[in-house]
Amino acid sequence: SDMELEEKLYRSKRSEKTKAENRPLPDFEYLNRELKKQGVTLLLLWAEYTQENPDGYQYEMFCLLYKKWKKKLNICMRQEHKAGEKLFVDYCDGLGIVNRDTGEIRETELFVAAWGASSYTYAEASFSQEKQDWLMSHVLAFEYYERDPHIVVPDNLKAGVNRACFYEPEINRSYLDLAEHYGCAVIPARPYKAKDKAKVEAAVLLAQRWILACMRNRIFYRLGEMNQAIRELLEKLNSKKMQKLKVSRREQYENIDKPAARILPDKRYEYADWKICHVNLDYHVEIYGHYYSVPCQLIHEQVETRITENAVDPAGVETLLRNEPSVCFS
């Protein structure tokens, strides 16, 4: 019969398949731990495996099974980026500014931002990652985009985050002030989780290759001169068509992110610093060597002061304080 004929023809193959299925699998977690030790190779581990399991897998299949298992270790959830929702921001090392008189080189930091859906990129050099440079780089990025996002995703640098945490990070008060001005939220990436901000990590690599590398042989004497060169190369980068999508980042931004992003407020954000002050017996607080009066009911209390660079005291001071900070109390 057909069944008997099939049994006679394919008996050996079936027996081999059954035998292979019954072979003991290697302990992949053990292999992974041992390979981290100096001098340990897969060939050595396979030799030890065959001593315990003479009918086990041959070396080639042993290696293939281990590599297949190891690929599953780095599984991560795919991020879905909604139009106009997130802007990812980060820093990388920049080029140096040369002092004409002394020849001294002052290093810079490159601020990089990228939209989630379109990957539309912004880059700008500054002298530091301090709070004022950090916040004003955001302002310049929003003005470059002519929009601001619903959510900003930064790293956990001190200028933006006072205390990093997986669940409840403590955002810097001045950074919150900027977010409130533009109506967006700040959600830092989790500590040591670079994949949370993979978009800007890729944008940093692009900025290093297509901006910094192109300027490596140029000498800059002023920060504005460097940023002008960065802007020219940035325009080329954003206008260049991406290999897979066959469209540029600018086209992607105009069609996807920009229509869904937030419109900028009429007034530009003015950098403000916040300080906790103790009210003295004479109902004055001291800020940067100057004294400002507060309501007498606040004697011996602590007040949170908002300090700006060029502003008028909103509490009713009628005199401009040239080169002095103004204060409002909350």
Side-chain angles (χ1 to χ4, degrees):
S1 66
D2 290 342
M3 187 176 296
E4 292 173 336
L5 179 62
E6 186 178 352
E7 182 67 24
K8 289 182 179 293
L9 288 172
Y10 300 111
R11 181 185 303 168
S12 60
K13 291 185 178 180
R14 286 179 178 175
S15 62
E16 289 177 3
K17 183 178 179 181
T18 305
K19 184 178 178 181
E21 290 175 349
N22 293 332
R23 288 173 183 168
L25 283 172
D27 186 347
F28 296 118
E29 293 183 0
Y30 168 77
L31 298 181
N32 195 51
R33 288 195 306 270
E34 292 299 306
L35 283 171
K36 295 177 182 179
K37 298 178 181 178
Q38 188 175 6
V40 179
T41 64
L42 275 174
L43 183 60
L44 174 63
L45 294 172
W46 173 75
E48 295 174 353
Y49 163 76
T50 53
Q51 287 179 359
E52 297 180 3
N53 306 281
D55 297 329
Y57 291 98
Q58 294 302 308
Y59 178 64
E60 184 177 357
M61 182 57 67
F62 179 86
C63 294
L64 288 174
L65 289 172
Y66 171 70
K67 290 177 181 178
K68 184 177 180 181
W69 174 86
K70 191 174 181 181
K71 285 182 179 179
K72 298 179 181 180
L73 293 180
N74 296 324
I75 293 175
C76 60
M77 184 178 291
R78 182 180 180 86
Q79 294 190 46
E80 296 292 339
H81 298 292
K82 297 180 181 179
E85 183 183 41
K86 291 182 180 179
L87 181 71
F88 299 84
V89 294
D90 202 358
Y91 272 115
C92 71
D93 294 335
L95 301 177
I97 303 290
V98 179
N99 188 314
R100 288 182 182 272
D101 299 326
T102 64
E104 181 184 359
I105 298 177
R106 185 177 181 184
E107 298 299 329
T108 64
E109 305 287 339
L110 188 70
F111 174 86
V112 181
W115 285 87
S118 65
S119 300
Y120 193 44
T121 303
Y122 173 77
E124 179 221 348
S126 60
F127 282 123
S128 73
Q129 297 185 18
E130 296 298 326
K131 186 163 51 179
Q132 185 166 0
D133 287 330
W134 166 251
L135 297 182
M136 296 315 296
S137 292
H138 281 69
V139 174
L140 294 173
F142 295 162
E143 292 177 353
Y144 174 79
Y145 293 130
E146 299 179 349
R147 292 290 188 277
D148 68 273
H150 295 272
I151 301 172
V152 179
V153 182
D155 203 349
N156 287 278
L157 77 169
K158 286 295 183 182
V161 181
N162 291 336
R163 182 177 60 86
C165 178
F166 269 76
Y167 308 105
E168 291 291 338
E170 182 183 333
I171 309 301
N172 183 283
R173 185 65 183 86
S174 296
Y175 201 11
L176 281 178
D177 193 33
L178 178 140
E180 290 172 3
H181 179 84
Y182 287 102
C184 58
V186 177
I187 304 179
R190 294 173 297 172
Y192 310 110
K193 298 292 182 181
K195 290 181 180 179
D196 285 2
K197 52 184 182 66
K199 279 285 182 178
V200 74
E201 295 288 343
V204 165
L205 289 176
L206 286 172
Q208 290 172 334
R209 293 170 182 172
W210 295 101
I211 296 178
L212 296 181
C214 294
M215 302 192 307
R216 68 190 185 279
N217 295 323
R218 296 180 60 177
I219 299 176
F220 298 97
Y221 299 101
R222 293 183 297 105
L223 186 64
E225 179 186 354
M226 178 182 286
N227 278 325
Q228 179 62 35
I230 290 173
R231 181 63 62 89
E232 293 172 2
L233 293 170
L234 184 64
E235 294 300 321
K236 292 181 181 180
L237 173 63
N238 283 325
S239 300
K240 185 179 180 180
K241 291 188 182 296
M242 294 181 280
Q243 291 183 353
K244 293 183 179 179
L245 299 177
K246 305 301 180 184
V247 294
S248 68
R249 290 172 177 79
R250 177 174 286 104
E251 292 172 331
Q252 285 271 91
Y253 174 71
E254 294 290 341
N255 295 328
I256 299 175
D257 277 319
K258 189 173 182 179
R262 299 179 59 86
I263 298 175
L264 293 178
D266 296 332
K267 186 179 179 181
R268 188 190 200 195
Y269 170 77
E270 184 179 11
Y271 172 73
D273 202 0
W274 292 79
K275 182 180 178 183
I276 302 296
C277 297
H278 182 77
V279 181
N280 297 320
L281 273 174
D282 57 358
Y283 55 90
H284 279 68
V285 293
E286 184 271 330
I287 300 173
Y288 301 142
H290 300 275
Y291 292 89
Y292 301 88
S293 63
V294 301
C296 60
Q297 292 86 350
L298 296 176
I299 290 177
H300 299 307
E301 298 290 341
Q302 285 188 334
V303 293
E304 187 178 38
T305 60
R306 182 176 183 270
I307 308 163
T308 62
E309 292 182 347
N310 301 295
V312 180
D313 182 1
V317 176
E318 298 179 357
T319 306
L320 284 171
L321 303 174
R322 183 176 299 176
N323 298 325
E324 296 180 10
S326 66
V327 184
C328 67
F329 301 97
S330 59

